[in-house]
Short mmCIF file of all heavy atoms in Angstrom, two decimals:
data_model
loop_
_atom_site.label_atom_id
_atom_site.label_comp_id
_atom_site.label_asym_id
_atom_site.label_seq_id
_atom_site.Cartn_x
_atom_site.Cartn_y
_atom_site.Cartn_z
N MET A 1 0.82 -1.19 0.00
CA MET A 1 0.00 0.00 0.00
C MET A 1 0.87 1.25 0.00
O MET A 1 1.96 1.24 0.54
CB MET A 1 -0.89 0.03 1.25
CG MET A 1 -2.01 -0.99 1.29
SD MET A 1 -3.28 -0.64 0.09
CE MET A 1 -3.21 -2.12 -0.86
N PRO A 2 0.36 2.33 -0.58
CA PRO A 2 1.09 3.60 -0.53
C PRO A 2 1.22 4.12 0.89
O PRO A 2 0.50 3.69 1.79
CB PRO A 2 0.22 4.54 -1.36
CG PRO A 2 -0.69 3.67 -2.14
CD PRO A 2 -0.85 2.41 -1.36
N LEU A 3 2.09 5.08 1.08
CA LEU A 3 2.31 5.67 2.40
C LEU A 3 1.61 7.02 2.50
O LEU A 3 1.48 7.75 1.52
CB LEU A 3 3.79 5.88 2.64
CG LEU A 3 4.67 4.63 2.64
CD1 LEU A 3 6.11 5.03 2.87
CD2 LEU A 3 4.21 3.63 3.65
N CYS A 4 1.19 7.37 3.70
CA CYS A 4 0.60 8.67 3.97
C CYS A 4 1.69 9.73 3.80
O CYS A 4 2.77 9.59 4.39
CB CYS A 4 0.03 8.70 5.39
SG CYS A 4 -0.63 10.31 5.87
N PRO A 5 1.45 10.78 3.04
CA PRO A 5 2.47 11.81 2.86
C PRO A 5 2.74 12.62 4.13
O PRO A 5 3.75 13.29 4.23
CB PRO A 5 1.92 12.69 1.75
CG PRO A 5 0.47 12.43 1.72
CD PRO A 5 0.27 11.03 2.23
N HIS A 6 1.84 12.53 5.12
CA HIS A 6 1.99 13.31 6.34
C HIS A 6 2.75 12.57 7.43
O HIS A 6 3.64 13.13 8.05
CB HIS A 6 0.61 13.74 6.86
CG HIS A 6 -0.13 14.56 5.86
ND1 HIS A 6 0.13 15.88 5.63
CD2 HIS A 6 -1.11 14.23 4.98
CE1 HIS A 6 -0.65 16.34 4.67
NE2 HIS A 6 -1.40 15.35 4.26
N ASP A 7 2.38 11.30 7.69
CA ASP A 7 3.04 10.58 8.79
C ASP A 7 3.72 9.29 8.35
O ASP A 7 4.19 8.53 9.17
CB ASP A 7 2.06 10.31 9.93
CG ASP A 7 0.82 9.56 9.48
OD1 ASP A 7 0.88 8.80 8.50
OD2 ASP A 7 -0.23 9.76 10.11
N LYS A 8 3.77 9.05 7.04
CA LYS A 8 4.51 7.92 6.44
C LYS A 8 4.02 6.54 6.89
O LYS A 8 4.76 5.57 6.83
CB LYS A 8 6.01 8.04 6.72
CG LYS A 8 6.62 9.36 6.29
CD LYS A 8 6.40 9.64 4.83
CE LYS A 8 7.07 10.95 4.43
NZ LYS A 8 6.32 11.75 3.52
N GLN A 9 2.75 6.44 7.31
CA GLN A 9 2.16 5.15 7.66
C GLN A 9 1.51 4.55 6.42
O GLN A 9 1.08 5.27 5.51
CB GLN A 9 1.11 5.33 8.76
CG GLN A 9 1.66 5.89 10.05
CD GLN A 9 2.68 4.96 10.67
OE1 GLN A 9 2.44 3.77 10.82
NE2 GLN A 9 3.83 5.51 11.02
N ARG A 10 1.43 3.24 6.38
CA ARG A 10 0.78 2.57 5.24
C ARG A 10 -0.70 2.91 5.21
O ARG A 10 -1.37 2.90 6.24
CB ARG A 10 0.96 1.07 5.31
CG ARG A 10 2.38 0.64 5.02
CD ARG A 10 2.44 -0.84 4.73
NE ARG A 10 3.80 -1.23 4.43
CZ ARG A 10 4.31 -1.26 3.20
NH1 ARG A 10 3.57 -0.93 2.19
NH2 ARG A 10 5.56 -1.61 3.01
N LEU A 11 -1.21 3.21 4.00
CA LEU A 11 -2.61 3.56 3.83
C LEU A 11 -3.43 2.30 3.59
O LEU A 11 -2.95 1.33 3.00
CB LEU A 11 -2.78 4.51 2.65
CG LEU A 11 -2.08 5.85 2.77
CD1 LEU A 11 -2.23 6.64 1.47
CD2 LEU A 11 -2.62 6.65 3.94
N ASN A 12 -4.67 2.33 4.04
CA ASN A 12 -5.62 1.26 3.77
C ASN A 12 -6.48 1.65 2.58
O ASN A 12 -6.94 2.79 2.50
CB ASN A 12 -6.53 1.02 4.99
CG ASN A 12 -5.76 0.52 6.18
OD1 ASN A 12 -4.77 -0.19 6.04
ND2 ASN A 12 -6.19 0.91 7.37
N GLU A 13 -6.71 0.71 1.68
CA GLU A 13 -7.54 0.99 0.51
C GLU A 13 -9.00 0.99 0.93
O GLU A 13 -9.44 0.16 1.71
CB GLU A 13 -7.29 -0.06 -0.57
CG GLU A 13 -7.83 0.33 -1.91
CD GLU A 13 -7.31 -0.54 -3.03
OE1 GLU A 13 -6.57 -1.51 -2.77
OE2 GLU A 13 -7.65 -0.23 -4.17
N SER A 14 -9.76 1.96 0.41
CA SER A 14 -11.19 2.05 0.68
C SER A 14 -11.93 2.23 -0.64
O SER A 14 -11.30 2.37 -1.69
CB SER A 14 -11.49 3.21 1.63
OG SER A 14 -11.25 4.45 0.98
N ALA A 15 -13.23 2.29 -0.59
CA ALA A 15 -14.03 2.44 -1.81
C ALA A 15 -13.76 3.77 -2.51
O ALA A 15 -13.79 3.86 -3.73
CB ALA A 15 -15.51 2.32 -1.48
N SER A 16 -13.43 4.80 -1.75
CA SER A 16 -13.22 6.13 -2.32
C SER A 16 -11.76 6.46 -2.59
O SER A 16 -11.44 7.51 -3.10
CB SER A 16 -13.82 7.19 -1.40
OG SER A 16 -13.18 7.16 -0.15
N GLY A 17 -10.84 5.59 -2.21
CA GLY A 17 -9.42 5.84 -2.40
C GLY A 17 -8.59 5.17 -1.33
O GLY A 17 -8.57 3.95 -1.23
N PHE A 18 -7.94 5.97 -0.48
CA PHE A 18 -7.10 5.44 0.59
C PHE A 18 -7.34 6.22 1.87
O PHE A 18 -7.59 7.42 1.84
CB PHE A 18 -5.61 5.54 0.21
CG PHE A 18 -5.23 4.67 -0.94
CD1 PHE A 18 -5.22 5.16 -2.23
CD2 PHE A 18 -4.89 3.35 -0.74
CE1 PHE A 18 -4.87 4.36 -3.29
CE2 PHE A 18 -4.54 2.52 -1.79
CZ PHE A 18 -4.53 3.02 -3.07
N ASP A 19 -7.25 5.53 3.01
CA ASP A 19 -7.41 6.14 4.32
C ASP A 19 -6.18 5.85 5.17
O ASP A 19 -5.63 4.75 5.11
CB ASP A 19 -8.63 5.55 5.05
CG ASP A 19 -9.93 5.75 4.29
OD1 ASP A 19 -10.09 6.81 3.66
OD2 ASP A 19 -10.78 4.85 4.34
N CYS A 20 -5.76 6.82 5.98
CA CYS A 20 -4.64 6.62 6.88
C CYS A 20 -5.18 6.24 8.26
O CYS A 20 -5.91 7.03 8.88
CB CYS A 20 -3.80 7.89 6.99
SG CYS A 20 -2.39 7.70 8.12
N PRO A 21 -4.84 5.05 8.75
CA PRO A 21 -5.33 4.63 10.06
C PRO A 21 -4.70 5.42 11.21
O PRO A 21 -5.28 5.53 12.28
CB PRO A 21 -4.95 3.16 10.14
CG PRO A 21 -3.80 3.00 9.21
CD PRO A 21 -4.01 4.02 8.12
N ALA A 22 -3.53 6.02 10.98
CA ALA A 22 -2.83 6.76 12.04
C ALA A 22 -3.41 8.16 12.24
O ALA A 22 -3.71 8.55 13.36
CB ALA A 22 -1.35 6.83 11.73
N CYS A 23 -3.56 8.92 11.15
CA CYS A 23 -4.01 10.32 11.30
C CYS A 23 -5.45 10.54 10.87
O CYS A 23 -6.00 11.61 11.07
CB CYS A 23 -3.08 11.26 10.53
SG CYS A 23 -3.14 11.09 8.73
N GLY A 24 -6.07 9.54 10.24
CA GLY A 24 -7.47 9.65 9.84
C GLY A 24 -7.72 10.41 8.55
O GLY A 24 -8.85 10.56 8.13
N ARG A 25 -6.66 10.87 7.89
CA ARG A 25 -6.85 11.59 6.63
C ARG A 25 -7.30 10.64 5.53
O ARG A 25 -6.96 9.46 5.54
CB ARG A 25 -5.55 12.27 6.21
CG ARG A 25 -5.18 13.43 7.10
CD ARG A 25 -3.91 14.09 6.55
NE ARG A 25 -3.62 15.34 7.21
CZ ARG A 25 -2.71 15.48 8.16
NH1 ARG A 25 -1.98 14.45 8.56
NH2 ARG A 25 -2.50 16.65 8.72
N GLN A 26 -8.04 11.19 4.58
CA GLN A 26 -8.50 10.41 3.44
C GLN A 26 -7.87 10.98 2.17
O GLN A 26 -7.68 12.20 2.05
CB GLN A 26 -10.01 10.46 3.34
CG GLN A 26 -10.70 9.80 4.51
CD GLN A 26 -12.20 9.88 4.39
OE1 GLN A 26 -12.74 10.76 3.76
NE2 GLN A 26 -12.87 8.93 5.01
N PHE A 27 -7.54 10.10 1.25
CA PHE A 27 -6.89 10.49 0.01
C PHE A 27 -7.63 9.87 -1.16
O PHE A 27 -8.28 8.84 -1.01
CB PHE A 27 -5.43 10.02 -0.01
CG PHE A 27 -4.63 10.55 1.14
CD1 PHE A 27 -4.52 9.82 2.31
CD2 PHE A 27 -4.02 11.79 1.06
CE1 PHE A 27 -3.79 10.32 3.39
CE2 PHE A 27 -3.31 12.30 2.12
CZ PHE A 27 -3.19 11.56 3.30
N GLY A 28 -7.50 10.48 -2.32
CA GLY A 28 -8.08 9.92 -3.53
C GLY A 28 -7.31 8.68 -3.94
O GLY A 28 -6.50 8.15 -3.19
N ASN A 29 -7.54 8.24 -5.15
CA ASN A 29 -6.88 7.02 -5.59
C ASN A 29 -5.89 7.26 -6.72
O ASN A 29 -5.48 6.32 -7.38
CB ASN A 29 -7.92 5.97 -5.99
CG ASN A 29 -8.86 6.47 -7.06
OD1 ASN A 29 -8.68 7.55 -7.59
ND2 ASN A 29 -9.86 5.69 -7.37
N GLN A 30 -5.46 8.50 -6.93
CA GLN A 30 -4.48 8.80 -7.98
C GLN A 30 -3.07 8.70 -7.42
O GLN A 30 -2.67 9.51 -6.59
CB GLN A 30 -4.72 10.20 -8.54
CG GLN A 30 -3.68 10.64 -9.55
CD GLN A 30 -3.63 9.75 -10.78
OE1 GLN A 30 -4.64 9.53 -11.43
NE2 GLN A 30 -2.47 9.22 -11.08
N PRO A 31 -2.28 7.71 -7.87
CA PRO A 31 -0.88 7.64 -7.43
C PRO A 31 -0.07 8.76 -8.07
O PRO A 31 -0.29 9.13 -9.21
CB PRO A 31 -0.42 6.27 -7.93
CG PRO A 31 -1.32 5.95 -9.06
CD PRO A 31 -2.63 6.62 -8.77
N VAL A 32 0.87 9.32 -7.30
CA VAL A 32 1.66 10.46 -7.74
C VAL A 32 3.14 10.18 -7.47
O VAL A 32 3.50 9.61 -6.44
CB VAL A 32 1.20 11.73 -6.97
CG1 VAL A 32 2.05 12.92 -7.32
CG2 VAL A 32 -0.27 12.01 -7.24
N CYS A 33 4.00 10.62 -8.38
CA CYS A 33 5.44 10.49 -8.22
C CYS A 33 5.91 11.38 -7.06
O CYS A 33 5.56 12.57 -7.02
CB CYS A 33 6.15 10.90 -9.51
SG CYS A 33 7.95 10.96 -9.38
N PRO A 34 6.69 10.85 -6.13
CA PRO A 34 7.16 11.67 -5.01
C PRO A 34 8.20 12.71 -5.42
O PRO A 34 8.44 13.67 -4.70
CB PRO A 34 7.77 10.65 -4.05
CG PRO A 34 8.16 9.51 -4.91
CD PRO A 34 7.16 9.47 -6.03
N GLU A 35 8.82 12.55 -6.60
CA GLU A 35 9.85 13.48 -7.06
C GLU A 35 9.25 14.71 -7.74
O GLU A 35 9.60 15.84 -7.43
CB GLU A 35 10.80 12.78 -8.04
CG GLU A 35 11.47 11.54 -7.49
CD GLU A 35 12.43 11.86 -6.37
OE1 GLU A 35 13.06 12.93 -6.40
OE2 GLU A 35 12.56 11.02 -5.47
N CYS A 36 8.34 14.50 -8.69
CA CYS A 36 7.81 15.61 -9.50
C CYS A 36 6.33 15.88 -9.24
O CYS A 36 5.77 16.81 -9.82
CB CYS A 36 8.05 15.36 -10.98
SG CYS A 36 7.20 13.90 -11.64
N VAL A 37 5.69 15.08 -8.43
CA VAL A 37 4.27 15.21 -8.05
C VAL A 37 3.35 15.20 -9.27
O VAL A 37 2.35 15.87 -9.32
CB VAL A 37 4.04 16.47 -7.17
CG1 VAL A 37 2.70 16.40 -6.49
CG2 VAL A 37 5.13 16.63 -6.13
N GLN A 38 3.75 14.42 -10.27
CA GLN A 38 2.92 14.22 -11.46
C GLN A 38 2.26 12.84 -11.36
O GLN A 38 2.79 11.95 -10.70
CB GLN A 38 3.77 14.29 -12.72
CG GLN A 38 4.37 15.67 -12.97
CD GLN A 38 3.30 16.71 -13.19
OE1 GLN A 38 2.36 16.53 -13.95
NE2 GLN A 38 3.43 17.83 -12.47
N PRO A 39 1.08 12.65 -11.99
CA PRO A 39 0.41 11.35 -11.94
C PRO A 39 1.33 10.22 -12.41
O PRO A 39 2.09 10.38 -13.36
CB PRO A 39 -0.77 11.52 -12.89
CG PRO A 39 -1.04 12.98 -12.88
CD PRO A 39 0.32 13.64 -12.75
N ALA A 40 1.26 9.10 -11.71
CA ALA A 40 2.06 7.93 -12.05
C ALA A 40 1.15 6.86 -12.65
O ALA A 40 -0.01 6.74 -12.27
CB ALA A 40 2.77 7.39 -10.82
N GLU A 41 1.69 6.09 -13.56
CA GLU A 41 0.97 4.99 -14.18
C GLU A 41 1.07 3.76 -13.29
O GLU A 41 2.13 3.46 -12.74
CB GLU A 41 1.59 4.70 -15.54
CG GLU A 41 0.91 3.63 -16.32
CD GLU A 41 1.57 3.39 -17.66
OE1 GLU A 41 2.37 4.24 -18.10
OE2 GLU A 41 1.29 2.34 -18.25
N VAL A 42 -0.04 3.03 -13.14
CA VAL A 42 -0.06 1.81 -12.34
C VAL A 42 0.29 0.64 -13.24
O VAL A 42 -0.30 0.47 -14.31
CB VAL A 42 -1.45 1.58 -11.70
CG1 VAL A 42 -1.46 0.29 -10.90
CG2 VAL A 42 -1.84 2.76 -10.83
N LEU A 43 1.25 -0.18 -12.82
CA LEU A 43 1.66 -1.37 -13.56
C LEU A 43 1.35 -2.59 -12.70
O LEU A 43 1.84 -2.71 -11.58
CB LEU A 43 3.16 -1.33 -13.87
CG LEU A 43 3.67 -0.10 -14.62
CD1 LEU A 43 5.18 -0.14 -14.71
CD2 LEU A 43 3.05 -0.02 -15.99
N LYS A 44 0.53 -3.49 -13.22
CA LYS A 44 0.17 -4.71 -12.49
C LYS A 44 0.59 -5.92 -13.30
O LYS A 44 0.28 -6.02 -14.48
CB LYS A 44 -1.33 -4.77 -12.24
CG LYS A 44 -1.85 -3.69 -11.34
CD LYS A 44 -3.34 -3.83 -11.10
CE LYS A 44 -3.85 -2.73 -10.21
NZ LYS A 44 -5.28 -2.86 -9.94
N ALA A 45 1.33 -6.84 -12.65
CA ALA A 45 1.76 -8.07 -13.31
C ALA A 45 2.02 -9.14 -12.27
O ALA A 45 2.70 -8.90 -11.27
CB ALA A 45 3.02 -7.82 -14.14
N CYS A 46 1.49 -10.31 -12.49
CA CYS A 46 1.72 -11.47 -11.62
C CYS A 46 1.41 -11.16 -10.15
O CYS A 46 2.12 -11.59 -9.25
CB CYS A 46 3.15 -11.97 -11.75
SG CYS A 46 3.58 -12.47 -13.42
N GLY A 47 0.40 -10.35 -9.91
CA GLY A 47 0.01 -10.02 -8.55
C GLY A 47 0.77 -8.88 -7.92
O GLY A 47 0.43 -8.40 -6.85
N ALA A 48 1.83 -8.40 -8.58
CA ALA A 48 2.61 -7.28 -8.06
C ALA A 48 2.07 -5.96 -8.62
O ALA A 48 1.58 -5.91 -9.74
CB ALA A 48 4.07 -7.43 -8.45
N VAL A 49 2.17 -4.91 -7.82
CA VAL A 49 1.76 -3.58 -8.26
C VAL A 49 2.96 -2.65 -8.14
O VAL A 49 3.57 -2.55 -7.08
CB VAL A 49 0.59 -3.05 -7.42
CG1 VAL A 49 0.21 -1.64 -7.85
CG2 VAL A 49 -0.61 -3.97 -7.51
N ASP A 50 3.31 -2.01 -9.23
CA ASP A 50 4.38 -1.02 -9.25
C ASP A 50 3.85 0.22 -9.95
O ASP A 50 2.75 0.22 -10.51
CB ASP A 50 5.61 -1.55 -10.00
CG ASP A 50 6.34 -2.61 -9.22
OD1 ASP A 50 6.74 -2.33 -8.08
OD2 ASP A 50 6.51 -3.72 -9.75
N PHE A 51 4.64 1.27 -9.92
CA PHE A 51 4.22 2.53 -10.51
C PHE A 51 5.33 3.06 -11.39
O PHE A 51 6.51 2.82 -11.17
CB PHE A 51 3.89 3.53 -9.39
CG PHE A 51 2.81 3.02 -8.49
CD1 PHE A 51 3.13 2.27 -7.38
CD2 PHE A 51 1.48 3.25 -8.78
CE1 PHE A 51 2.14 1.77 -6.55
CE2 PHE A 51 0.49 2.76 -7.95
CZ PHE A 51 0.82 2.02 -6.84
N PHE A 52 4.93 3.83 -12.42
CA PHE A 52 5.89 4.35 -13.38
C PHE A 52 5.64 5.83 -13.62
O PHE A 52 4.52 6.25 -13.87
CB PHE A 52 5.78 3.59 -14.70
CG PHE A 52 6.77 4.03 -15.73
CD1 PHE A 52 8.08 3.59 -15.67
CD2 PHE A 52 6.40 4.89 -16.75
CE1 PHE A 52 9.01 4.01 -16.62
CE2 PHE A 52 7.31 5.30 -17.70
CZ PHE A 52 8.62 4.86 -17.63
N CYS A 53 6.70 6.62 -13.52
CA CYS A 53 6.66 8.05 -13.82
C CYS A 53 7.38 8.24 -15.14
O CYS A 53 8.49 7.72 -15.32
CB CYS A 53 7.35 8.85 -12.71
SG CYS A 53 7.56 10.60 -13.11
N LYS A 54 6.79 9.00 -16.06
CA LYS A 54 7.41 9.22 -17.37
C LYS A 54 8.74 9.97 -17.25
O LYS A 54 9.60 9.85 -18.11
CB LYS A 54 6.46 9.98 -18.28
CG LYS A 54 5.25 9.16 -18.66
CD LYS A 54 4.30 9.93 -19.54
CE LYS A 54 3.09 9.07 -19.85
NZ LYS A 54 2.09 9.79 -20.63
N THR A 55 8.92 10.73 -16.19
CA THR A 55 10.15 11.49 -16.00
C THR A 55 11.19 10.73 -15.17
O THR A 55 12.37 10.73 -15.49
CB THR A 55 9.85 12.83 -15.29
OG1 THR A 55 8.89 13.53 -16.05
CG2 THR A 55 11.10 13.67 -15.14
N HIS A 56 10.74 10.05 -14.09
CA HIS A 56 11.67 9.44 -13.14
C HIS A 56 11.71 7.91 -13.17
O HIS A 56 12.43 7.30 -12.40
CB HIS A 56 11.35 9.92 -11.72
CG HIS A 56 11.55 11.39 -11.57
ND1 HIS A 56 10.52 12.29 -11.63
CD2 HIS A 56 12.68 12.11 -11.40
CE1 HIS A 56 11.00 13.51 -11.48
NE2 HIS A 56 12.31 13.43 -11.35
N GLY A 57 10.93 7.29 -14.02
CA GLY A 57 10.97 5.84 -14.16
C GLY A 57 10.17 5.12 -13.09
O GLY A 57 9.16 5.63 -12.59
N MET A 58 10.62 3.93 -12.72
CA MET A 58 9.91 3.08 -11.77
C MET A 58 9.88 3.70 -10.38
O MET A 58 10.87 4.26 -9.93
CB MET A 58 10.55 1.70 -11.70
CG MET A 58 10.46 0.90 -12.98
SD MET A 58 8.76 0.51 -13.46
CE MET A 58 8.33 -0.63 -12.20
N ILE A 59 8.73 3.54 -9.72
CA ILE A 59 8.56 4.02 -8.35
C ILE A 59 8.05 2.84 -7.54
O ILE A 59 7.08 2.19 -7.92
CB ILE A 59 7.51 5.15 -8.28
CG1 ILE A 59 7.85 6.27 -9.25
CG2 ILE A 59 7.40 5.69 -6.86
CD1 ILE A 59 6.71 7.23 -9.47
N SER A 60 8.70 2.55 -6.43
CA SER A 60 8.25 1.44 -5.59
C SER A 60 6.97 1.82 -4.85
O SER A 60 6.69 3.01 -4.62
CB SER A 60 9.33 1.04 -4.59
OG SER A 60 9.47 2.03 -3.61
N LEU A 61 6.23 0.82 -4.47
CA LEU A 61 4.98 1.01 -3.74
C LEU A 61 5.20 1.79 -2.45
O LEU A 61 4.38 2.62 -2.07
CB LEU A 61 4.35 -0.35 -3.44
CG LEU A 61 3.04 -0.36 -2.70
CD1 LEU A 61 1.95 0.34 -3.49
CD2 LEU A 61 2.62 -1.78 -2.41
N SER A 62 6.33 1.59 -1.80
CA SER A 62 6.59 2.28 -0.54
C SER A 62 6.91 3.76 -0.71
O SER A 62 6.84 4.52 0.25
CB SER A 62 7.74 1.59 0.21
OG SER A 62 8.93 1.70 -0.53
N ARG A 63 7.23 4.20 -1.93
CA ARG A 63 7.55 5.61 -2.16
C ARG A 63 6.43 6.41 -2.79
O ARG A 63 6.41 7.64 -2.68
CB ARG A 63 8.79 5.71 -3.07
CG ARG A 63 10.06 5.25 -2.38
CD ARG A 63 11.30 5.54 -3.19
NE ARG A 63 11.41 6.96 -3.46
CZ ARG A 63 11.54 7.48 -4.68
NH1 ARG A 63 11.58 6.71 -5.74
NH2 ARG A 63 11.65 8.78 -4.86
N VAL A 64 5.51 5.74 -3.47
CA VAL A 64 4.45 6.46 -4.17
C VAL A 64 3.54 7.17 -3.16
O VAL A 64 3.35 6.69 -2.04
CB VAL A 64 3.64 5.51 -5.09
CG1 VAL A 64 2.72 4.61 -4.31
CG2 VAL A 64 2.84 6.28 -6.12
N ILE A 65 3.02 8.34 -3.54
CA ILE A 65 2.05 9.04 -2.71
C ILE A 65 0.73 9.10 -3.47
O ILE A 65 0.69 8.89 -4.68
CB ILE A 65 2.54 10.45 -2.30
CG1 ILE A 65 2.91 11.28 -3.52
CG2 ILE A 65 3.73 10.36 -1.36
CD1 ILE A 65 3.31 12.71 -3.20
N VAL A 66 -0.34 9.37 -2.78
CA VAL A 66 -1.64 9.45 -3.41
C VAL A 66 -2.24 10.83 -3.19
O VAL A 66 -1.95 11.50 -2.19
CB VAL A 66 -2.60 8.36 -2.92
CG1 VAL A 66 -2.20 7.01 -3.42
CG2 VAL A 66 -2.71 8.37 -1.42
N SER A 67 -3.06 11.27 -4.12
CA SER A 67 -3.71 12.56 -3.97
C SER A 67 -5.19 12.44 -4.23
O SER A 67 -5.65 11.47 -4.75
CB SER A 67 -3.10 13.58 -4.92
OG SER A 67 -3.31 13.20 -6.27
#
């Protein structure tokens, strides 16, 4: 799961996007590159989920943020 940009805790997926169990904030479901804050493409294969930024390349699940 992506991390909360505020307290770096793992987010829980919900119907509307993602929720942070630590701070209670809610986020949409658009993954964003932590370097340039541009939308990232979701790549799914063999059960794994990764993200791709056209500028910065592959982004691990632990680094991606959501908006």
Side-chain angles (χ1 to χ4, degrees):
M1 289 291 120
L3 299 179
C4 176
H6 301 282
D7 56 29
K8 306 303 183 220
Q9 299 297 311
R10 289 195 179 268
L11 298 175
N12 295 327
E13 194 166 4
S14 69
S16 62
F18 294 94
D19 301 324
C20 180
C23 67
R25 290 183 170 101
Q26 295 180 334
F27 302 92
N29 57 6
Q30 175 62 54
V32 176
C33 174
E35 303 293 327
C36 63
V37 195
Q38 294 297 312
E41 182 180 345
V42 179
L43 305 174
K44 294 182 181 182
C46 301
V49 178
D50 288 303
F51 302 89
F52 183 79
C53 172
K54 292 179 182 176
T55 304
H56 296 99
M58 295 296 291
I59 307 166
S60 70
L61 180 62
S62 64
R63 291 188 58 234
V64 74
I65 55 176
V66 290
S67 63

